[in-house]
Structures are given as structure tokens and as C-alpha cells.
């Protein structure tokens, strides 16, 4: 988990007077179990049950040391929280990391971690038998899972979640994405998810538009399912998408940064409504590279109001404002580097947590996906 040095700058200390919650799953976006104690699935996060056909976390009433599952001891005396991630809260004893067992009254410390650690995967592939192309049913919707040539399932590989355009489908988008093709050719698993049906056909809920479905939970549930069945590295899950799918992969940075490592959206922005209402709150600095065409008449490069989906209007930030907003949310400093990672691209490289924020402008380009190889090469350098 933490094989890097203690590169922490402690900036504020205080006491948290109440005890930690017993249930780990709330920080992962899942409720605690309230009616069952039956363990249906176990991973490094803890024990999982099922209630009302949904995953829930089982409380750790016994005080067992969850950090042992990750190869670390639990703290014996020091209850100062030095670092928090999806596994739990961490302290330091004898200059080594230790896990803080839930249920104790702790002293908390706000920290800055620089740079963002890229940690090796520790995934047990045994018992994960899904190794060939398949279609999964998640919450009543289809997800097409496609494996790279030569996949053996004996070591963890990255996963790219690729969201389709509005009025499209997973089946249609399977053959349309250059980013997906680049990922498959590089040994990654690719998932094409079906959007829910809204006024404009199959689409995604990105705040003010374009369906009423909970696509954040839908994505979380799929990740939970695929990582339990196939040998996918949970720290190397990425998002991409074109048009409305680009909107969903931008929105994933706001709502799914704890489970998605980076995104490469195309031909869509965050909406002004989401940003101005404070709904974009990434759980961590989030690497993102957008592709936008200057002659895009569907989602104008300069942004603006759209009522293309009846009853669900939204206002596009515009390519440059979207770029600047992501740089601000990621705490980027200085000026973006020109022609990085390619011609007509700009990249903020001095951002919190080792994140990068980029914009590739396609001069004269229309409503296009952009370069799949540039997008995939950007994504794969990041890990949770």
C-alpha cells in the first residue's frame, strides 16, 4: 500500500471527539448493511453483504486488523491519522505504516501528499474465471466486456470504461472508438456500458441532462462486479467517451475519482450548472485530458446554452473554460505547457498529487473523438 517514503507535509492537527464509523463502505459509495450479517464477498476493503439486491458493507464489530490483508500491521498505540485512502486510515509506528482499527477515538492530521504514489498492484487472480468476451447485466442494463488478444487472466490488467454518445448504445460504440482500440491493443480490458433511455434516446445523467438515471452508482456497481470476476487492476481503471459519453467521463472525475484513476473525454464539457452549484467535488486530484474541435457545431468550442434534449437544458462551459476549471480543481500552478503531449495540446503538469490536466484542440475539427492513441497513452501513466 505505502511503499514510498513518508513524503508528507503536516499542516494542521486537531482532535476528532467522536469515534470512527464501524462501516468502511460509506467512503466507497455503498451503504452499511442494516439487515444482514451474511458475508457474500470479501476483498481488501472488507466484508460485503447484499440487501435489497444491492451491495452493502458489513461492520467490523470484532476490531480485526484490516491492514493485515494489505501486508501491514495495525497500530498498537499511535492513533494519529497520517493518511486516508479507500482502505481506511493510516498511522505510523517505528517509521512504518500501520492501519488504525475502526472504533477508536483518534487524533486527526490534515496532510498534503506529494507526489501522487503509483503503487504496484497486489491482486489475487485465483478464482477469477472471466477471461473471454461477455455481456454483463448491471442494474438492468447491458455492459459489453471485451478482452485483449492473448489475455490469460493470470495477472491484473487495466480497464477502460468507454461511454457511448447520446442516442447510441454500447453495441454500436464497440466498433467506433479509437481510444478503446488503442487500449485493447495495449493489453487492457474495455467495457462499453449502455446508457439509460431518456428524452433523447440512450444517454447519461451528467447533472442537468440527459436522463434521470443514477449513472454514478451504475458505474460503481459495474466496477464491483468486474473486479470480482476478472483479473482487473482496481487501481488502473480509466474512463473515456465521445460526445455525451465525453460528458459522462468528465462527470466521472467529479463523482468517481476514488475508483477511476484518470479520464480522456472527447467533444463535451462539464456543464456550467454542475460547476456553479458545487456538484463537481473530486475525491482526489484527478488527471484528465479533453479533446475538442474548434468547428464543433454540436458542442461549440466556446460553450453556450443547449436545449437539444427537451426539458433538460444545460450550458456547456466551453473547451478553454473547462480546461481552466479542471486546472483550478486540481490546484495546478504556473502556465500550461504547449504542444504537450502532442501538437496543439496544452498540459498543466504542476498539479496537486501528481495529476495533470490537458486540452488537445483540433483546429478546424468538428464533433470528433480525437486521437485514441494520445488519449490512451495519457491515461495509462496514472494509478490510484
Amino acid at each position: 500500500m505505502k511503499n514510498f517514503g513518508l513524503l508528507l507535509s503536516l499542516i494542521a492537527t486537531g482532535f476528532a471527539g467522536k469515534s470512527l464509523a464501524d462501516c468502511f463502505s460509506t467512503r466507497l459509495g455503498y451503504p452499511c448493511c442494516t439487515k444482514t450479517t451474511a458475508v457474500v464477498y470479501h476483498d481488501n476493503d472488507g466484508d460485503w453483504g447484499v440487501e435489497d439486491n444491492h451491495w452493502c458493507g458489513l461492520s467490523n464489530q470484532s476490531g480485526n486488523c484490516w491492514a493485515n490483508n494489505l501486508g501491514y500491521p495495525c497500530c498498537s498505540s499511535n492513533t494519529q491519522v497520517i493518511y486516508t485512502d479507500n482502505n481506511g486510515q493510516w498511522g505510523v509506528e517505528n517509521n512504518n505504516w500501520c492501519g488504525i482499527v475502526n472504533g477508536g477515538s483518534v487524533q486527526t492530521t490534515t496532510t498534503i501528499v506529494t507526489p501522487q504514489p503509483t503503487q504496484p498492484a497486489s491482486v489475487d487472480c485465483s478464482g477469477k474465471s472471466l477471461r473471454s468476451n461477455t455481456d454483463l447485466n448491471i442494474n438492468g442494463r447491458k455492459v459489453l466486456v471485451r478482452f485483449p488478444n492473448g489475455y490469460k487472466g493470470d495477472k491484473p490488467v487495466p480497464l477502460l470504461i468507454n461511454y457511448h454518445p447520446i442516442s447510441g448504445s454500447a453495441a454500436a460504440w464497440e466498433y467506433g472508438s479509437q481510444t478503446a482500440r488503442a487500449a485493447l491493443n495495449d493489453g487492457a480490458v474495455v467495457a462499453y456500458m449502455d446508457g439509460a433511455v431518456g428524452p433523447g434516446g440512450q444517454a447519461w445523467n451528467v447533472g442537468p441532462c440527459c436522463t434521470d438515471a443514477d449513472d454514478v452508482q451504475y458505474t460503481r456497481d459495474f466496477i464491483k462486479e468486474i473486479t470480482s470476476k476478472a483479473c482487473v487492476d482496481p487501481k488502473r481503471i480509466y474512463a473515456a467517451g465521445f460526445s455525451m459519453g465525453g460528458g459522462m467521463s468528465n462527470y466521472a472525475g467529479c463523482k468517481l475519482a476514488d475508483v477511476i484513476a484518470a479520464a480522456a473525454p472527447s467533444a463535451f464539457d462539464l456543464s456550467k450548472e454542475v460547476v456553479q452549484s458545487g456538484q463537481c467535488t473530486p475525491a482526489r486530484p484527478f488527471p484528465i485530458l479533453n479533446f475538442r474541435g474548434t468547428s464543433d457545431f454540436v458542442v461549440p468550442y466556446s460553450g453556450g446554452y443547449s436545449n437539444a434534449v427537451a426539458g433538460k437544458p444545460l450550458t456547456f462551459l466551453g473547451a478553454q473554460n473547462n480546461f481552466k476549471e479542471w486546472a483550478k480543481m486540481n490546484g495546478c500552478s504556473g502556465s500550461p505547457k504547449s504542444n504537450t503531449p502532442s501538437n496543439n495540446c496544452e498540459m498543466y503538469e504542476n498539479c496537486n498529487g501528481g495529476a495533470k490536466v490537458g486540452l488537445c484542440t483540433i483546429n478546424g475539427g468538428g464533433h470528433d473523438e480525437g486521437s485514441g492513441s494520445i488519449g490512451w497513452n495519457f491515461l495509462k501513466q496514472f494509478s490510484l
Side-chain angles (χ1 to χ4, degrees), residues 160 162 172-182 192 240-241 369 372:
L160 174 68
N162 205 313
W173 187 230
E174 178 182 358
Y175 302 103
S177 172
Q178 296 181 46
T179 311
R181 192 175 303 118
Y192 306 88
E369 183 185 12

Side-chain angles (χ1 to χ4, degrees), residues 6 9 37 48 70 87 106 116 119 128 143 145 163 196 218-219 230 265 274 280 296 311 322 327 329 334 362:
L6 301 181
S9 173
T37 58
W48 296 86
L70 304 173
N87 296 308
V106 302
Q116 175 181 326
Q119 300 161 14
K128 297 185 178 183
V143 180
V145 180
Y163 299 103
Y218 172 45
T219 302
V274 165
C280 190
D296 188 338
N322 192 65
M329 288 189 288
I362 307 164

Side-chain angles (χ1 to χ4, degrees), residues 340-360:
T340 304
S342 183
N343 291 338
N344 300 316
C345 298
E346 305 170 83
M347 184 76 70
Y348 283 97
E349 296 186 327
N350 297 317
C351 307
N352 289 343
K356 296 180 182 180
V357 175
L359 170 64
C360 288

Side-chain angles (χ1 to χ4, degrees), residues 121-133:
S122 55
V123 179
D124 183 2
C125 296
S126 62
K128 297 185 178 183
S129 58
L130 184 58
R131 300 179 183 180
S132 59
N133 294 350

Side-chain angles (χ1 to χ4, degrees), residues 205-209 251 254-255 270-282 313-315 317 325 328-329:
N205 183 350
V206 296
C209 193
Y251 195 63
C254 302
K255 303 294 185 182
L270 288 172
S271 73
K272 186 177 291 185
E273 291 82 359
V274 165
V275 172
Q276 291 185 345
S277 63
Q279 295 181 54
C280 190
T281 55
L314 80 166
T315 308
L317 280 181
E325 190 63 38
K328 182 175 72 175
M329 288 189 288

Side-chain angles (χ1 to χ4, degrees), residues 158-245:
L159 167 68
L160 174 68
I161 298 173
N162 205 313
Y163 299 103
H164 64 71
I166 193 169
S167 299
S169 67
W173 187 230
E174 178 182 358
Y175 302 103
S177 172
Q178 296 181 46
T179 311
R181 192 175 303 118
L184 280 169
N185 289 340
D186 199 33
V189 174
V190 174
Y192 306 88
M193 305 182 72
D194 258 340
V197 176
Q202 281 184 240
W204 307 101
N205 183 350
V206 296
C209 193
C210 292
T211 78
D212 295 323
D214 189 346
D215 291 319
V216 171
Q217 191 62 51
Y218 172 45
T219 302
R220 288 188 184 279
D221 289 345
F222 164 67
I223 291 173
K224 193 77 178 171
E225 184 80 0
I226 191 65
T227 53
S228 70
K229 291 184 174 181
C231 196
V232 166
D233 184 352
K235 293 186 180 295
R236 292 187 292 159
I237 297 175
Y238 309 105
F242 165 62
S243 189
M244 180 90 238

